[in-house]
Structure formats: structure tokens, C-alpha cells
């Protein structure tokens, strides 16, 4: 049995399929990423997975516990795409009132979270007046307050500065290590996917590819060797292999580092400079859908 | 559930603006009374002795009814706000179920209605005792408290029914201003019911408001009426009660007990209506932006 799984998840709104037959298997402690552009159906999928939206078809279970039961709710934490806490209450009041709505509240853990997410300074401020980054850190504290085993993050870092993003991931990675926290992340930030154990690529409500990031890269994202030549030399044999020549630059898709080294060695007298660009998640997306993710 | 009620109460009393706004209907009726309503009503009743001892508690009865209507509407508005701004989605992830969450809105609203009526009652009693030498009777306290609880329950359910048609914060604030204005007319404070055209009377009598106000007035005016009308015939007293809404004429004037029964009846019918409406509307409560 998997720690968390969803089978044949489908959602129709007015006869339009927004999510189509999504199957998901998650093991304890894993970090799963849903990668997809805006409107792909990521939030709709998450809403079903956390039990706020009833799927048209499909089953969801967490260690055999049915979605929407009290036990299920107690085991999950959610950071919503939009910030949903009470704007008129202070940070502390928000966290306290939410903590009161759970059974397993541990004040020591609570204090730790506040310190880790650097919330002490803003505890007495109204949630509504916080900056986007501050608010997001509070949202994350809220989601962790009852020590969930499975944390959902729906585009948590959209519009955040790099410091906040790093801070958030530093805290989450730490909890992941110490508590075996399982994470399901949706994002269109390619950088964030780099940490994931397993990636689902979602487009138009469908999973168009899924694998570990390394395997996805191997399959869809190739390393590129870019060579800048000294003169206006032409290299017919290389160009014939479907590579691109732009002025004095030659872009080569290489299958291995050895191949790249050999090419460079062959041409070493003609080269003025070169650059090796490793395959990225963006390439995966481009290859699969024919469009840039953002 | 206690945690949810605490949150709702905190949200209510955190914003001074919201609380005072919900009392606007009561404040307006009180101020209008002091400025000119008292004189204009009194001028038509110059033959009644000790009129002041009657009119002050009479106003209190109506104003308490307005308070029950508007403060419960305002408090229950939190339910619409939470639905509209997504807070409900966050709350639904916690231990309490959807029904507990709804129950918490209802219970905190009933509580707020009682507290606010208590505040308004205290303020007005003090004011009229000091300014008009109104006699505050200790034997008011228990029956008035019971009626406050009853009116809070009635208006919480009525507002629950009305608010199930309201989906967003914009319509909510329109709803609150309409309720704030209408409450004074329905409680027959701006104009005694006897002076209102019959068609409008008929409409008013289809709401719990006049019975609620009548019930408060019957308790508060028991002694003052006995005093002022001790030399009058029962018919005269009856006419006075009817025109001032101290008892509503449906096959004879309603008594304390028939008013209570009517209010309980309104509550039951409203609860049934709520159940029917929520089943028909079955609207997605989990709106997302
Ligand atoms: N309640 C709804 N009714 C109809 N369409 C919806 C509803 N919720 C979402 N959609 C549509 O579903 C699609 C996917 O939305 P969403 O899940 O928010 O995508 P993402 O989170 O990947 O940006 C969008 O085209 C959106 O308009
Ligand atoms: Mg989304």
C-alpha cells in the first residue's frame, strides 16, 4: 500500500473536464512536484486531494484513511495558493485560533516553528497588513501547526522574493529530514522542482509525463554545447546533424560529456570560446508541450 | 466548536467599527426619540397621565428588538465573509466538521445578540433613570433576559435564512444597511403601529418583529400601564395597547404567552425553510478565486 494515493482522479465543471484521470502514488517522506502552467488544473487537483472538492470520478486515500474524515484532516496541512487567514486578527491570534481547532497541539513545537520562520517580530501585527512574503511565512506556520504528516503547497512561492523562498525551503527541508514530512508541491517555478523526488508534468488537466527529475531530463532535456568560433568557418558535418548555426555560434545537442569533449578536442584550434548548458526543466516542458512554461 | 466560537467572537469584537455599525439602527431610534419622536407621539396622547413613564420603556422595547435584529445580522455576516474570502476553506481543514462550523456561527451569533441587547438595555435604563427618573424594576431582569435570549434565537434563524441568499461581501453590506433601516419600521419604533397604513401593518405582522417588540413592552410596561390607566375602562387600555403595539391584534390582542408562542413558531418555520433552501440551493460553499 502507498502512503498516499489517488486513482483515476477526474473533475468536470459544466461537462468540461478540468482534471483528467490523474493517478498519483506517494511514499512517506517523498517530495512530489506537480509542474504545470497557469490553468493546467493544479489547484483543482489539490482541492480534490485535500477533500475540499468532490471528484467527479476517483478515489483518494491516506494510509487507508478516506479523504475528508477527521483523521485525514488531522494528518494533512495545506498552504493555499491565496492567503486565507483572518485579516483583522494578528499573526498570533490567527495561529492560536487555528491551533485551537486541532487536537495535537504542542506548544514547544509551535514556538520552534515561529522561531524557524522568523515570525517573532510580526506576531502582534495584523495579518491583513503584512507583506506578501511575511504572509506566506505565516501561512506555512499555520499549515504546520498541528504537525501534519503530509503537506500540500499550492504555488507557495509565486511572487515571493528570493530570500523568503530560500527561507521557506530551508525550514521545510529541515522538517522533512527530522519528521519525515511528505510534501506535495504544485508550481510553475522550474527551480523548485529541482529538489523533488518525483515530478508529474500537468497540462490541460492531464499528466503528460511523470518520472524522477533525472529520468525526465534524460528523456526530454538534452545538454547543449555552444561553441563560438574564431573565424567564419563552416562545419558542414556538424550542421548536418540537425544542429543550429547562428553566425559564428554553433549549438550542438550532446548525449554525453565524452561526446562534447571529443568535439571540442577535434575543433580546438578553431574555437574562441564555448559554453556547456545542462538540460533544464524548462527544456522538458518545451519538449513535451511545445511551449515555454512562463 | 468552542475554539470556533472564540474566533468568531474575537473577530466581532476586534473591530470596534463593525460593532458600532451593527448598533446604528438602535442608536438612530434612540436619538430620533430624544430629538422629536417623543414629543410627536406624546402630543397625540396628552390625556394619558404619567406618559413619560410609559414612553421611555416603550422605546426601550422597540430598540431592544432593533438591536436583536441588526446585531445578529451583522454577526452572522461573518459566515458570508468566510465563504466569500476563502477562510471557510481553511476552517474546513480543521477538526470541526462543516456542520460544527455552521453551528459555531449560529451559537456565537446568538451569544452576541444577547450581549448587545444587554448592553443596550443597560445603557438605556441608566439614561432614562438619570434623565427622566424612570423607575428601574428589579423584577424586569429575569423575564427581560429570557426574552433577549428568545429574540436573539429568532433573529439569528431569520437572518440565517435571509443570508443564505447572499453570496458576497458587497451584497452583504447592502443587506446590512437595508436591515438596519427596515428594523426600526418593523419594530414600530419610528411610528407606533396604530399610525401605520393597514397594508404595511399587514406586512409587518408577517415578521416576528412586532411580536418581539410587544413582548418586551408588555414586560417593561406592566406597572406603568396599571398606574396610568387605573381609572380607565379596559376598552380604553386595549385601544392604547393596540395603537402602541403593546400586543398585536390578531383575533384579539396577543398576550405575553401568545407572543412567546408566536416567536417560537416563527423560529421553527424559519428553521424548516432554511433546511429546504439549503437543499435546493446546494450552492458550492467553497468558492475559489
Ligand atoms: N469552479 C470552477 N468552475 C469552472 N471552471 C473552473 C472552476 N475552477 C477552476 N476552473 C477552471 O479550471 C482550470 C484549471 O484551474 P486551476 O486548477 O486553478 O489551474 P492552476 O492551478 O493549474 O492554475 C482553469 O481553466 C479554470 O478556469
Ligand atoms: Mg493554481
Amino acid at each position: 500500500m502507498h502512503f498516499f494515493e489517488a486513482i483515476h482522479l477526474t473533475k468536470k465543471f459544466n461537462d468540461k473536464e478540468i482534471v483528467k484521470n490523474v493517478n498519483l502514488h506517494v511514499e512517506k517522506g517523498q517530495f512530489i512536484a506537480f509542474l504545470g502552467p497557469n490553468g493546467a488544473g493544479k489547484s483543482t487537483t489539490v482541492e480534490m486531494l485535500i477533500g475540499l472538492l468532490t471528484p467527479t470520478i476517483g478515489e483518494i486515500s491516506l494510509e487507508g484513511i478516506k479523504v475528508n474524515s477527521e483523521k485525514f484532516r488531522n494528518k494533512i496541512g495545506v498552504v493555499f495558493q491565496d492567503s486565507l487567514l483572518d485579516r483583522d486578527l494578528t499573526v498570533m491570534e490567527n495561529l492560536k485560533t487555528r491551533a485551537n481547532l486541532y487536537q495535537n497541539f504542542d506548544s514547544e513545537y509551535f514556538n520552534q516553528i515561529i522561531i524557524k520562520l522568523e515570525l517573532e517580530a510580526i506576531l502582534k501585527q495584523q495579518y491583513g497588513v503584512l507583506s506578501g512574503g511575511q504572509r506566506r511565512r505565516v501561512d506555512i506556520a499555520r499549515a504546520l501547526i498541528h504537525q501534519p504528516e503530509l503537506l500540500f503547497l499550492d504555488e507557495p512561492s509565486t511572487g515571493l522574493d528570493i530570500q523568503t523562498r530560500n527561507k521557506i525551503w530551508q525550514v521545510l527541508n529541515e522538517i522533512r529530514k527530522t519528521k519525515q514530512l511528505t510534501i506535495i508541491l504544485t508550481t510553475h517555478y522550474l527551480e523548485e522542482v529541482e529538489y523533488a523526488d518525483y515530478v508529474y508534468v500537468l497540462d490541460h488537466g492531464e499528466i503528460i509525463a511523470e518520472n524522477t527529475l533525472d529520468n525526465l531530463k534524460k528523456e526530454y532535456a538534452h545538454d547543449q554545447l555552444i561553441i563560438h568560433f574564431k573565424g567564419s568557418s563552416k562545419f558542414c558535418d556538424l550542421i548536418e546533424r540537425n544542429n543550429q548555426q547562428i553566425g559564428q555560434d554553433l549549438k550542438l545537442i550532446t548525449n554525453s560529456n565524452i561526446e562534447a569533449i571529443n568535439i571540442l578536442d577535434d575543433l580546438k584550434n578553431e574555437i574562441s570560446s564555448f559554453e556547456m548548458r545542462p538540460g533544464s526543466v524548462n527544456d522538458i516542458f518545451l519538449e513535451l508541450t511545445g511551449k515555454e512554461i512562463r | 466548536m468552542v475554539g470556533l466560537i472564540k474566533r468568531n467572537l474575537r473577530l466581532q469584537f476586534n473591530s470596534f467599527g463593525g460593532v458600532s455599525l451593527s448598533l446604528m439602527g438602535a442608536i438612530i431610534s434612540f436619538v430620533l426619540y430624544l430629538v422629536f419622536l417623543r414629543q410627536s407621539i406624546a402630543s397625540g396622547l396628552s390625556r394619558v397621565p404619567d406618559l413619560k413613564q410609559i414612553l421611555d420603556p416603550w422605546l426601550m422595547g422597540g430598540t431592544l428588538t432593533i438591536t436583536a435584529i441588526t446585531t445578529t445580522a451583522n454577526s452572522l455576516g461573518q459566515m458570508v465573509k468566510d465563504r466569500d474570502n476563502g477562510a471557510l476553506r481553511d476552517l474546513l481543514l480543521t477538526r470541526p466538521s462543516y456542520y460544527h462550523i455552521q453551528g459555531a456561527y449560529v451559537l456565537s451569533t446568538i451569544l452576541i445578540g444577547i450581549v448587545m441587547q444587554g448592553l443596550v438595555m443597560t445603557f438605556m435604563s441608566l439614561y432614562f433613570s438619570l434623565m427622566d427618573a424612570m423607575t428601574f424594576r428589579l423584577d424586569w431582569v429575569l423575564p427581560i433576559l429570557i426574552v433577549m435570549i428568545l429574540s436573539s434565537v429568532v433573529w439569528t434563524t431569520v437572518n440565517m435564512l435571509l443570508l443564505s441568499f447572499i453570496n458576497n461581501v458587497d451584497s452583504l453590506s447592502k443587506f446590512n444597511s437595508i436591515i438596519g433601516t427596515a428594523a426600526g419600521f418593523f419594530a414600530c419604533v419610528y411610528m407606533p403601529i396604530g399610525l401605520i397604513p393597514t397594508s404595511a401593518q399587514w406586512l409587518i405582522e408577517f415578521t416576528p418583529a412586532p411580536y418581539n417588540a410587544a413582548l418586551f413592552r408588555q414586560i417593561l410596561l406592566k406597572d406603568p400601564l396599571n398606574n396610568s390607566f387605573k381609572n380607565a375602562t379596559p376598552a380604553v387600555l386595549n385601544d392604547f395597547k393596540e395603537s402602541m403595539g403593546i400586543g398585536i391584534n390578531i383575533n384579539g390582542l396577543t398576550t405575553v404567552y401568545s407572543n412567546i408562542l408566536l416567536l417560537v413558531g416563527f423560529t421553527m418555520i424559519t428553521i424548516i425553510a432554511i433546511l429546504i433552501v439549503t437543499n435546493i440551493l446546494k450552492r458550492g460553499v467553497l468558492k475559489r478565486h
Side-chain angles (χ1 to χ4, degrees):
Chain A
M1 197 174 74
H2 302 283
F3 172 68
F4 181 66
E5 67 180 342
I7 307 163
H8 303 315
L9 217 52
T10 299
K11 184 69 196 180
K12 282 186 196 171
F13 285 123
N14 316 318
D15 280 342
K16 195 164 167 270
E17 281 194 338
I18 299 295
V19 175
K20 301 168 194 163
N21 195 26
V22 165
N23 291 288
L24 174 75
H25 308 287
V26 185
E27 306 309 333
K28 193 161 174 66
Q30 267 191 326
F31 173 8
I32 303 293
F34 269 88
L35 179 64
N38 275 330
K42 301 184 297 293
S43 294
T44 308
T45 306
V46 167
E47 299 270 311
M48 287 192 281
L49 294 178
I50 62 181
L52 286 187
L53 197 63
T54 318
T56 313
I57 309 170
E59 299 269 324
I60 300 156
S61 79
L62 174 65
E63 291 182 320
I65 304 166
K66 284 278 171 238
V67 71
N68 235 332
S69 61
E70 191 186 316
K71 241 178 165 177
F72 181 94
R73 296 201 295 271
N74 210 22
K75 279 178 185 274
I76 65 164
V78 180
V79 177
F80 289 96
Q81 186 168 354
D82 24 313
S83 294
L84 300 184
L85 293 177
D86 296 321
R87 299 175 156 263
D88 295 338
L89 297 186
T90 65
V91 171
M92 191 56 165
E93 286 170 336
N94 262 302
L95 294 176
K96 275 271 162 69
T97 51
R98 295 310 189 273
N100 275 334
L101 302 179
Y102 288 101
Q103 221 159 12
N104 38 341
F105 173 68
D106 176 349
S107 62
E108 198 170 311
Y109 183 78
F110 179 76
N111 292 334
Q112 262 179 17
I113 294 279
I114 286 177
I115 293 167
K116 277 186 193 154
L117 285 163
E118 295 173 1
L119 297 179
E120 304 106 308
I122 55 167
L123 278 178
K124 290 205 169 77
Q125 283 185 40
Q126 274 196 353
Y127 181 73
V129 303
L130 299 180
S131 73
Q134 292 172 325
R135 208 175 288 173
R136 196 54 0 155
R137 281 187 281 135
V138 179
D139 294 342
I140 291 183
R142 149 71 185 96
L144 293 171
I145 212 162
H146 54 297
Q147 308 189 45
E149 292 176 35
L150 173 57
L151 181 67
F152 291 89
L153 299 149
D154 194 7
E155 299 200 26
S157 43
T158 303
L160 292 191
D161 55 281
I162 190 77
Q163 287 94 327
T164 310
R165 234 191 288 173
N166 288 341
K167 176 92 247 161
I168 289 172
W169 282 109
Q170 180 207 323
V171 173
L172 290 178
N173 282 329
E174 204 181 308
I175 300 176
R176 226 153 82 72
K177 272 196 210 106
T178 53
K179 302 238 171 200
Q180 260 214 309
L181 178 70
T182 312
I183 293 183
I184 296 180
L185 165 81
T186 79
T187 186
H188 61 238
Y189 273 100
L190 304 161
E191 302 87 330
E192 264 175 347
V193 180
E194 304 275 351
Y195 307 110
D197 297 315
Y198 200 78
V199 180
Y200 294 86
V201 183
L202 202 66
D203 194 31
H204 298 299
E206 249 171 319
I207 293 179
I208 51 175
E210 60 171 286
N211 215 320
T212 61
L213 189 59
D214 282 346
N215 286 342
L216 283 177
K217 275 187 183 165
K218 254 182 225 149
E219 200 169 340
Y220 301 105
H222 305 286
D223 296 345
Q224 264 189 353
L225 175 63
I226 298 159
I227 303 174
H228 187 71
F229 292 102
K230 283 176 189 159
S232 54
S233 1
K234 283 210 162 28
F235 297 90
C236 297
D237 55 327
L238 288 173
I239 294 163
E240 267 165 26
R241 285 169 45 190
N242 233 345
N243 297 311
Q244 272 181 291
Q245 183 169 14
I246 305 158
Q248 291 180 333
D249 289 342
L250 186 63
K251 270 191 183 172
L252 297 155
I253 305 288
T254 57
N255 295 318
S256 69
N257 288 343
I258 300 292
E259 188 190 350
I261 290 168
N262 286 338
I263 293 172
L264 288 171
D265 193 45
D266 285 351
L267 302 171
K268 60 179 175 255
N269 295 323
E270 333 278 340
I271 295 173
S272 99
S273 65
F274 71 91
E275 190 186 329
M276 188 75 185
R277 206 171 74 79
S280 71
V281 183
N282 201 29
D283 298 330
I284 299 176
F285 204 75
L286 206 58
E287 180 83 17
L288 281 165
T289 66
K291 57 192 180 206
E292 297 266 351
I293 192 160
R294 46 172 169 163
Chain B
M1 189 112 114
V2 176
L4 280 169
I5 293 174
K6 271 193 200 156
R7 165 194 177 258
N8 294 345
L9 293 179
R10 181 164 258 163
L11 276 171
Q12 276 299 305
F13 291 109
N14 237 24
S15 66
F16 178 75
V19 170
S20 40
L21 220 61
S22 77
L23 284 175
M24 204 47 88
I27 295 169
I28 289 173
S29 103
F30 183 70
V31 171
L32 286 185
Y33 173 80
L34 294 184
V35 175
F36 74 92
L37 281 179
R38 171 157 54 184
Q39 283 88 334
S40 70
I41 295 171
S43 66
L45 302 166
S46 47
R47 283 175 310 137
V48 179
D50 273 334
L51 192 60
K52 222 173 210 182
Q53 290 292 329
I54 292 178
L55 283 190
D56 286 352
W58 176 83
L59 175 89
M60 285 166 65
T63 309
L64 286 173
T65 305
I66 296 176
T67 307
I69 297 173
T70 58
T71 58
T72 55
N74 185 70
S75 160
L76 213 48
Q78 189 61 44
M79 178 181 75
V80 177
K81 287 184 203 158
D82 287 349
R83 213 156 52 198
D84 191 35
N85 66 25
L88 178 60
R89 287 159 60 221
D90 182 52
L91 297 177
L92 281 168
L93 294 175
T94 61
R95 203 153 74 90
S97 70
Y98 177 70
Y99 295 100
H100 284 119
I101 294 170
Q102 295 296 101
Y105 290 127
V106 169
L107 287 181
S108 44
T109 297
I110 292 174
L111 217 64
I112 282 166
I114 297 167
V115 170
M116 300 308 265
Q117 288 177 80
L119 287 177
V120 168
M121 174 76 192
T122 310
F123 172 78
M124 288 193 301
S125 311
L126 279 174
Y127 183 90
F128 288 132
S129 304
L130 292 175
M131 306 303 283
D132 293 349
M134 182 191 79
T135 326
F136 182 88
R137 291 171 176 80
L138 272 180
D139 58 5
W140 281 351
V141 174
L142 190 63
I144 286 293
L145 184 65
I146 292 169
V147 178
M148 282 176 180
I149 295 170
L150 180 62
S151 41
S152 197
V153 171
V154 175
W155 292 107
T156 300
T157 53
V158 170
N159 283 316
M160 186 86 175
L161 178 63
L162 296 177
L163 285 174
S164 50
F165 298 98
I166 307 278
N167 290 320
N168 57 60
V169 175
D170 282 343
S171 342
L172 178 68
S173 63
K174 284 178 199 139
F175 171 82
N176 274 329
S177 30
I178 292 171
I179 284 283
T181 319
F185 286 101
F186 282 90
C188 303
V189 173
Y190 302 151
M191 209 187 271
I193 192 164
L195 298 179
I196 294 174
T198 12
S199 56
Q201 272 185 36
W202 187 78
L203 175 71
I204 288 171
E205 284 168 18
F206 266 97
T207 75
Y211 312 100
N212 196 166
L215 186 52
F216 274 125
R217 288 168 185 155
Q218 283 163 342
I219 294 165
L220 296 171
L221 288 172
K222 195 168 157 251
D223 292 340
L225 281 182
N226 283 342
N227 241 340
S228 296
F229 286 81
K230 59 179 174 257
N231 299 322
T233 63
V236 170
L237 177 59
N238 230 42
D239 280 355
F240 180 80
K241 281 182 172 172
E242 182 176 349
S243 67
M244 293 300 282
I246 312 163
I248 306 299
N249 191 356
I250 34 173
N251 299 325
L253 287 189
T254 55
T255 62
V256 167
Y257 294 103
S258 55
N259 281 327
I260 290 176
L261 276 179
L262 277 164
L263 291 180
V264 172
F266 268 112
T267 308
M268 312 258 252
I269 292 170
T270 313
I271 289 174
I272 293 170
I274 291 169
L275 294 178
I276 294 171
V277 166
T278 44
N279 268 315
I280 291 174
L281 290 183
K282 269 238 161 83
R283 188 190 34 243
V285 287
L286 308 171
K287 192 174 134 194
R288 183 152 62 82
H289 294 287

